[in-house]
Amino acid sequence: MSNSKQVLWLQVCGLALVQGAITLSWVIYNFYLAKLLVQFGFPKSLAVSLLVLENALAVFMEPLMGSLSDTKQRWFASRFPFITVGVLLSSALFIAIPCVATFVPPTTVLKYILPVLVVVWALAMTVFRSPVLSLLGRYAMPKGLPMAASVLTLIGGTIGSFRFAANDLLLGLGPVFTFVFGSFVLLGSAAILRFIHPPEIVSDEPVDKHQAQSPPPISIPALGSIFVLGGSFAWGYRLLFDGVGKFLKLQLNSDDVQLQMVIFGIAGAIAALPAGIIAKKVGNRNAMLGGMGVAILLMLLLPSLGANIIILAALAISTSFVVNGTIPFALEMVPPSRGGLGIGMYFGGVGLAMSIFGSVFSLPQGITPEFAAFMSAIAFVLALGSIVFSNFIQRQN
């Protein structure tokens, strides 16, 4: 890739399709999980326990799968064997989940098939998520990473925003059709990405056996900063949406704020495009620090100023600098050949945060908006600290 062309936009758009398919799969899964479990004779609370377990397993699985894909890349100059296996397995299991819940009688012997199946599906998703997203480092030069990532943020964020208002649509389609649709979207997006993946990226110069067995050294503090950023920002971002939703309900005196939350989410997704351009000019970490600082201030002011349009617009824009910068940050902190491990450490941190969050707040509706705003700001301070700390880490190339 020449310096004059810092981003392979066609491949980045293909990667964004996969990111969108992954997001869609999780939106469908989170919406239907409790309903399918209840239909199969389990208590609704089991859904929370399963999500906690899945996130806890992701703490180890994401870095492991990312690291194994790095090894596959060094040996065979391609991550696609890992990606292909993960996508095929995830797609098959995703179709199986509603089929088991709908067509299999929940007898004593067969009853526990469904909980095991959903956990195995979540594990299958970890097989390819870090490897496929690490391809961003192959499709963009380091300086162009934030701009390339903005396309992924736009697609993933837009699809994810509709989780606030997709209830009627998803219920109307039914679980079997919805899961089959999600499965084929994932398969189709992965097939498109494989088709447009440029041969010259796959066909890197071969490495000898010693080089393949001896990966480049990597800084433990660098991995730690990625992990802490993933966990602290995920915790803060989760509480941000919780606090914003509840402040909107108070301000509008209505429990129906689905449309407002969708608009808030889409605004943040769209803001990623200018955020990527700015980050390219000022540096990704500088852009993240600025966005994080503004987000901390706004979350502390939210209880007193309320969820007015100016505060919400500023929050959407400021956090988009951070959301958009996380994947480039993870790739920047590790050698190019260890991108899978870097991305895996980020998602491992996210998994830990969400596992702890689900354990501590099994009933998130009980969180007051003021507490959510304050704890979100605290989490963002920790994330900001991890970015500052990363400036003092010597990274290997």
Side-chain angles (χ1 to χ4, degrees), residues 29 33 37 45-55 115 118-119:
Y29 176 77
L33 178 59
L37 288 171
S45 59
L46 179 62
V48 176
S49 301
L50 289 176
L51 289 172
V52 169
L53 174 61
E54 291 163 3
N55 283 309
V118 298
V119 172

Side-chain angles (χ1 to χ4, degrees), residues 143-168:
K143 193 174 181 180
L145 279 173
M147 289 178 59
S150 66
V151 181
L152 277 65
T153 306
L154 172 64
I155 300 300
T158 300
I159 294 175
S161 298
F162 284 98
R163 70 186 182 274
F164 298 108
N167 296 11
D168 293 337

